[in-house]
Amino acid sequence: MECTKDETAITNCEKKNKDESQLSHIKNDRNKRNKLTKPPRPRKNEPGFHKVMFEETSYYFKKGLRYVYPYPFTFTAHVKGRWLNLTVLELFGKEFHMETMEYYEKAIQIGKIRVDDKIVSADHILKNNEVLTTQVHRHEPPVVQEEIEFVENSTDMVVINKPSSIPVHPCGRYRHNTIVFILGKEYGLEKLHTIHRIDRLTSGILMFSKVPEKAREMEQAVHERQVEKEYLARVAGEFPSEEVKLDEPILTTSHKIGVCQVHTDGKPCSTVFQRISYNGKSSVVSCKPHTGRMHQIRVHLQWLGFPIINDPIYNHATAWGLGKGKKGTEIDAKKVIAELIRTRKDNSYGDEINTNKPEQINSTDINNAIENKESALTEKHINNATEETMDDAENNKLCSPDLKRRKLASSNNQIKNDLIEKEKCDSSDTKSITESPLCTGKANYSKGCAKKEEKRVCYMSRDLGEEYYDEDCTECKKKWKEPLQSELVMYLHAYQYKGPGWSYKTSKPKWAEDDWNEE
């Protein structure tokens, strides 16, 4: 409306123009504030690992293993539909079982567990669109320390020979001890596009692309089965000399711990096997999978009766019964899964059975066993101990400094003598981060020390330094056994990949050599 010379109209017109001008400034200011306070959203296809993540912690190396210093970390999760109307404490009691309810109550109280970055009460009811953050002190399992062999490192491709024991991406308790983090932290390869994956325990060909266009091209070749793959495996026994082709369907019987079996309800699978060598005890076999099912090679080898000799799942000593999963053997999947869980060494990773389990020693049971001059726990004690503790007690592998002091305090002279022998035996061992490790392994003290490779020691976070210890962290209070390198390696290797116009091949692992014999 056009303003007139009427005084009232002039005043109203000026006021309107002033209000519109102020409103425009307010909108501009708000937009500026939003740009400053809201982080830019990452591009949809851009890899998400960057320098800030890489600097969360660092590595240290010991006895051929790569360790990660414990570090604080915050998990972030948007409230899911099934979480709605639960209290914060109810949620952690229902879905998260890593800690006790007492721990979660304290974490909520002191603000290690927050909702929308605010400290709330334990009975706060979760609502839609809320964000739950959990601050933890993170401990990662060690992996094998090997220099990464680059098969290709060009302008658009990175192809490596992945060492065994290292997962490709962060998963479970692994983050910095993963291939993508190691490549980013140590080789400056920060923005890689993953083309495919191989199992944590499997070594060999692993392909990344530096540019999205090449990644899409390679992914298409993989998905359309234009890629020929050859793996090497060392299996138990004398594999047939003639070519063996197996077309047996595979069913995933447990997604939780990653276990599969040959089953009529499974997905179609095809693998071609050809023996390369036999050393009198085990065979090296070329394995060419024509499909890409989970654990396909491992399951097919087990079904044929020639499992990979150190496969922690499909060559498990007790899980598969007398037939050990060989063709025609009736398998009770529930019993198999229960036995794998019962005897598993570690819960750090979803799809493998590992060995880096914290010591969970019942001090009363151990003291009673020592006082009764028993080298192993009695049935009464076994009922109150974990499987790992039972094995350690039977093999004289208990190695904590606290146990050493308890033994020294014992009035039993024989145990004192045993301890002296242990210390003599251990004197030639390399220094460890524990203050006084005992000799481990099935040592016969009258005949000398156990073999070097059977020795292992325990360590705690505080042994690394006070800066790596968190008073509220239960894992900081646990004793962790150093794994052996042999326990982190499985004899399955992705040897060669061929696709349209390209081919990648690694060197052979030592265990695949014709004259190799396991010591």
Side-chain angles (χ1 to χ4, degrees):
M1 183 181 69
E2 187 178 348
C3 296
T4 67
K5 292 184 180 180
D6 183 84
E7 187 177 336
T8 304
I10 292 173
T11 303
N12 291 337
C13 184
E14 289 175 348
K15 184 178 180 182
K16 178 181 178 183
N17 292 337
K18 184 179 179 181
D19 289 344
E20 288 178 349
S21 176
Q22 287 180 343
L23 182 61
S24 175
H25 283 302
I26 290 171
K27 287 180 178 178
N28 290 335
D29 289 343
R30 186 184 298 128
N31 290 335
K32 288 179 181 179
R33 284 198 303 273
N34 287 341
K35 287 180 181 179
L36 291 173
T37 57
K38 289 185 179 180
R41 296 185 66 179
R43 293 170 59 186
K44 186 174 181 182
N45 295 322
E46 188 173 359
F49 305 116
H50 48 75
K51 188 175 181 181
V52 174
M53 295 179 178
F54 298 150
E55 292 178 349
E56 292 167 336
T57 185
S58 57
Y59 302 113
Y60 67 96
F61 306 95
K62 187 170 183 290
K63 295 183 180 179
L65 299 180
R66 177 190 292 269
Y67 289 84
V68 174
Y69 286 107
Y71 58 99
F73 183 78
T74 300
F75 287 98
T76 302
H78 290 268
V79 171
K80 306 178 191 301
R82 66 176 184 275
W83 296 359
L84 295 176
N85 299 321
L86 291 175
T87 68
V88 179
L89 187 60
E90 285 174 342
L91 169 64
F92 279 88
K94 180 180 179 182
E95 294 210 12
F96 303 95
H97 309 288
M98 297 296 292
E99 302 286 356
T100 64
M101 294 302 293
E102 290 76 14
Y103 171 87
Y104 290 130
E105 284 185 281
K106 182 179 179 181
I108 296 168
Q109 183 180 1
I110 65 177
K112 286 196 170 184
I113 296 174
R114 296 181 176 227
V115 177
D116 287 343
D117 203 29
K118 298 176 183 176
I119 297 178
V120 297
S121 63
D123 58 1
H124 173 87
I125 296 176
L126 294 169
K127 306 175 189 65
N128 198 21
N129 296 325
E130 287 184 328
V131 177
L132 187 70
T133 53
T134 308
Q135 298 174 24
V136 299
H137 197 232
R138 196 157 183 173
H139 295 245
E140 297 194 27
V143 298
V144 170
Q145 161 58 9
E146 287 184 12
E147 285 294 322
I148 292 181
E149 174 192 343
F150 283 84
V151 179
E152 179 175 325
N153 187 5
S154 61
T155 55
D156 57 1
M157 286 292 294
V158 172
V159 183
I160 67 167
N161 182 358
K162 183 186 91 68
S164 184
S165 81
I166 311 177
V168 178
H169 273 134
C171 51
R173 289 176 56 214
Y174 295 89
R175 181 171 170 84
H176 289 264
N177 262 349
T178 59
I179 291 296
V180 292
F181 267 67
I182 293 171
L183 289 176
K185 288 160 72 81
E186 296 189 347
Y187 298 91
L189 299 169
E190 296 185 11
K191 296 183 178 182
L192 299 178
H193 299 261
T194 305
I195 295 170
H196 70 117
R197 293 175 181 149
I198 56 177
D199 290 345
R200 181 178 65 90
L201 291 181
T202 304
S203 58
I205 289 288
L206 184 60
M207 303 183 295
F208 298 93
S209 175
K210 294 180 179 179
V211 292
E213 296 78 18
K214 187 66 174 180
R216 286 192 290 268
E217 175 190 328
M218 298 291 284
E219 286 171 4
Q220 185 176 358
V222 172
H223 293 156
E224 293 179 357
R225 297 182 183 173
Q226 297 176 354
V227 179
E228 298 177 20
K229 306 174 186 178
E230 181 183 8
Y231 287 69
L232 301 177
R234 183 167 285 278
V235 303
E238 185 177 3
F239 197 87
S241 58
E242 67 275 8
E243 182 181 273
V244 176
K245 183 178 180 182
L246 191 61
D247 299 303
E248 292 291 340
I250 291 180
L251 176 71
T252 302
T253 52
S254 173
H255 290 278
K256 182 178 180 181
I257 63 172
V259 180
C260 304
Q261 69 176 103
V262 168
H263 197 281
T264 53
D265 294 335
K267 295 179 179 179
C269 287
S270 179
T271 316
V272 176
F273 300 99
Q274 178 67 61
R275 190 179 83 191
I276 296 174
S277 65
Y278 173 60
N279 66 4
K281 294 181 180 179
S282 59
S283 305
V284 175
V285 179
S286 166
C287 317
K288 296 181 178 179
H290 293 172
T291 48
R293 309 302 180 197
M294 177 178 169
H295 296 181
Q296 175 175 326
I297 293 172
R298 298 162 65 182
V299 173
H300 275 179
L301 285 170
Q302 181 200 38
W303 192 87
L304 288 170
F306 299 95
I308 296 172
I309 61 176
N310 59 352
D311 192 321
I313 295 179
Y314 302 103
N315 198 14
H316 191 280
T318 58
W320 300 90
L322 295 176
K324 299 198 74 173
K326 189 175 180 179
K327 53 186 175 182
T329 303
E330 185 176 345
I331 296 173
D332 188 329
K334 290 184 178 179
K335 288 183 178 180
V336 170
I337 294 165
E339 180 66 3
L340 288 172
I341 292 174
R342 184 186 74 83
T343 58
R344 74 184 302 170
K345 306 289 186 179
D346 182 27
N347 296 317
S348 67
Y349 192 71
D351 69 348
E352 301 292 355
I353 310 300
N354 308 321
T355 57
N356 186 45
K357 179 175 179 175
E359 292 281 301
Q360 296 183 12
I361 301 172
N362 186 315
S363 59
T364 302
D365 293 337
I366 301 302
N367 281 325
N368 289 340
I370 293 172
E371 290 170 5
N372 293 329
K373 303 178 185 179
E374 295 174 353
S375 61
L377 295 174
T378 62
E379 182 176 355
K380 174 184 176 181
H381 304 133
I382 289 173
N383 290 335
N384 296 321
T386 63
E387 181 71 19
E388 190 70 10
T389 302
M390 181 184 75
D391 290 342
D392 283 352
E394 289 174 345
N395 296 329
N396 293 314
K397 292 181 182 177
L398 296 171
C399 56
S400 71
D402 290 339
L403 178 56
K404 177 182 175 180
R405 286 190 285 271
R406 288 199 296 270
K407 285 188 174 184
L408 287 171
S410 173
S411 60
N412 189 302
N413 290 330
Q414 182 60 46
I415 290 195
K416 287 184 179 180
N417 293 335
D418 287 350
L419 183 61
I420 292 170
E421 291 298 322
K422 281 187 178 183
E423 289 173 334
K424 288 179 181 178
C425 174
D426 195 47
S427 61
S428 61
D429 196 10
T430 56
K431 291 182 179 180
S432 73
I433 54 178
T434 52
E435 63 179 74
S436 182
L438 298 182
C439 180
T440 57
K442 289 187 176 181
N444 184 332
Y445 306 125
S446 63
K447 296 182 180 180
C449 178
K451 292 180 180 179
K452 283 283 182 186
E453 59 269 23
E454 292 179 345
K455 293 183 179 181
R456 69 173 83 229
V457 295
C458 297
Y459 65 95
M460 299 178 71
S461 294
R462 192 163 255 156
D463 296 321
L464 302 171
E466 288 295 328
E467 65 269 34
Y468 302 111
Y469 181 81
D470 184 342
E471 187 62 40
D472 296 321
C473 175
T474 56
E475 298 208 336
C476 280
K477 298 177 176 66
K478 293 175 181 177
K479 296 182 180 71
W480 298 86
K481 288 195 305 184
E482 289 183 350
L484 306 177
Q485 287 191 56
S486 60
E487 296 170 335
L488 300 179
V489 174
M490 184 176 66
Y491 299 151
L492 179 62
H493 181 81
Y495 182 50
Q496 186 170 210
Y497 276 35
K498 291 181 182 179
W502 55 267
S503 177
Y504 299 116
K505 187 177 182 179
T506 72
S507 56
K508 278 189 178 182
K510 290 183 179 179
W511 54 259
E513 295 173 359
D514 295 353
D515 57 351
W516 180 89
N517 275 289
E518 190 169 20
E519 294 289 332

